[in-house]
Amino acid sequence: MIIFFDSGVGGLPYFQYFRQNNPAESLVYIADRINFPYGKKTKQEIIYILVSFFEKLIYQFQPKLVVLACNTASVSALSTLRETFPHIPWIGTVPAIKPAIIESRSHCVGVLGTDRTIDDPYITELAEKYSADTKIIRIPAPDIVEFVEERFFKANDAEKQTIVSPYIKKFRHAGADAVVLGCTHFLLLQSVFRVVAAPDIKIYDSIAGVSHRIETVLDEKGVRDKIGEIPAECRLILTGAAPIEQKWLKWALDLATEVSVLHEKP
Ligand code: DGL
């Protein structure tokens, strides 16, 4: 079993991409909606939530690998989780800044994320590591995170463009020709980002990179499941008592064979 984890629906594009390419693997996706949004919490709060939740999840699922499909959780807690549970291979999700810096011709790269991710020194360290002469424009977009979690499934195309456009306008105005989607929630709007950003700004995400990294680690450890060996399970688990909308449920069931709700606070 592989666990994919996010504060909500943001990690689902990662889960979906990996599942399409690796149908033999059993997966469980956990959306920690009761603690959503992570982006407004402190690093310490996020570490506390994740360490206590993963104590239970690891006991329950005995995962062979865990994917933190959440940039905020990864920049805040990945190193602590690795230290606390050293027998588990952890794969984090971090903004794809490196390719954006390498390919940017204007030497100006935009990074869009949650407040927590944008504030983390990790972004500065990455920028300094790959190019000290590239200007990094960091903008937090908590309203897009909220929109995706709460309204994405009922929103029309015009509403989606309206939420994305002001951010691209700011990056364009600042001279960026590359924008990194540094929050997994934004991936549900990636086609809208690409339309609004064309033709002068390229959008970067980490979906293929993360999926490839999972496959590499499974191969290195020799723990890949083979098709037909055991039927692959695919579950979605949501924390919190919020009712699930029918439209959401239909979409979720297309992704997973089973959806369950964990009603108590984990
Ligand atoms: N999906 C999360 C990320 O990638 C953040 C959403 C939240 O604020 O909970 O950063």
Side-chain angles (χ1 to χ4, degrees):
M1 180 68 84
I2 298 174
I3 295 180
F4 278 70
F5 187 94
D6 183 44
S7 58
V9 299
L12 285 171
Y14 290 75
F15 175 81
Q16 190 170 30
Y17 184 95
F18 179 79
R19 190 179 177 216
Q20 274 159 4
N21 293 304
N22 299 275
E25 296 296 338
S26 288
L27 311 177
V28 58
Y29 183 93
I30 316 244
D32 186 17
R33 289 160 65 111
I34 201 164
N35 289 307
F36 174 87
Y38 278 23
K40 292 282 177 196
K41 295 185 165 45
T42 63
K43 185 178 170 109
Q44 278 63 37
E45 283 170 326
I46 295 169
I47 290 175
Y48 179 78
I49 290 169
L50 290 177
V51 169
S52 28
F53 199 6
F54 272 105
E55 262 167 21
K56 296 175 193 156
L57 291 174
I58 290 171
Y59 177 74
Q60 184 182 351
F61 291 104
Q62 305 283 317
K64 61 181 178 184
L65 188 145
V66 177
V67 184
L68 283 188
C70 174
N71 292 261
T72 310
S74 302
V75 298
S76 307
L78 188 60
S79 53
T80 308
L81 289 167
R82 283 191 171 130
E83 280 161 25
T84 314
F85 308 101
H87 63 293
I88 299 284
W90 295 87
I91 308 277
T93 309
V94 290
I97 292 177
K98 182 182 167 188
I101 290 179
I102 292 170
E103 290 175 24
S104 170
R105 292 179 173 213
S106 66
H107 299 288
C108 180
V109 168
V111 183
L112 201 62
T114 62
D115 295 274
R116 174 79 270 286
T117 301
I118 290 300
D119 270 357
D120 200 275
Y122 181 83
I123 307 279
T124 319
E125 282 159 26
L126 267 191
E128 279 167 4
K129 186 166 164 194
Y130 294 111
S131 168
D133 61 7
T134 296
K135 191 169 163 201
I136 305 287
I137 316 279
R138 312 158 173 219
I139 303 183
D143 56 333
I144 307 187
V145 178
E146 196 77 32
F147 175 87
V148 169
E149 189 66 29
E150 312 295 350
R151 311 226 347 262
F152 178 79
F153 298 97
K154 16 182 181 181
N156 60 31
D157 288 352
E159 287 172 275
K160 292 176 185 172
Q161 283 215 5
T162 304
I163 191 100
V164 163
S165 292
Y167 289 99
I168 294 297
K169 215 181 255 175
K170 281 186 205 163
F171 287 126
R172 187 171 274 131
H173 185 70
D177 64 352
V179 169
V180 182
L181 301 183
C183 168
T184 57
H185 276 73
F186 304 159
L187 272 294
L188 283 101
L189 289 169
Q190 66 165 303
S191 56
V192 183
F193 271 103
R194 289 189 209 282
V195 167
V196 175
D200 52 325
I201 297 180
K202 186 170 169 188
I203 299 293
Y204 291 80
D205 70 68
S206 58
I207 289 191
V210 167
S211 190
H212 184 243
R213 180 76 196 129
I214 302 168
E215 291 163 1
T216 306
V217 173
L218 293 177
D219 284 339
E220 278 169 8
K221 304 215 167 279
V223 291
R224 253 193 208 253
D225 283 342
K226 295 197 180 53
I227 292 191
E229 261 180 10
I230 15 165
E233 269 180 75
C234 194
R235 294 178 65 187
L236 288 181
I237 295 179
L238 319 174
T239 61
I244 309 171
E245 283 180 44
Q246 280 310 310
K247 222 172 168 184
W248 195 96
L249 199 61
K250 190 182 167 311
W251 185 74
L253 283 169
D254 283 347
L255 284 175
T257 48
E258 198 189 317
V259 177
S260 35
V261 181
L262 211 71
H263 281 292
E264 296 115 79
K265 193 172 165 62

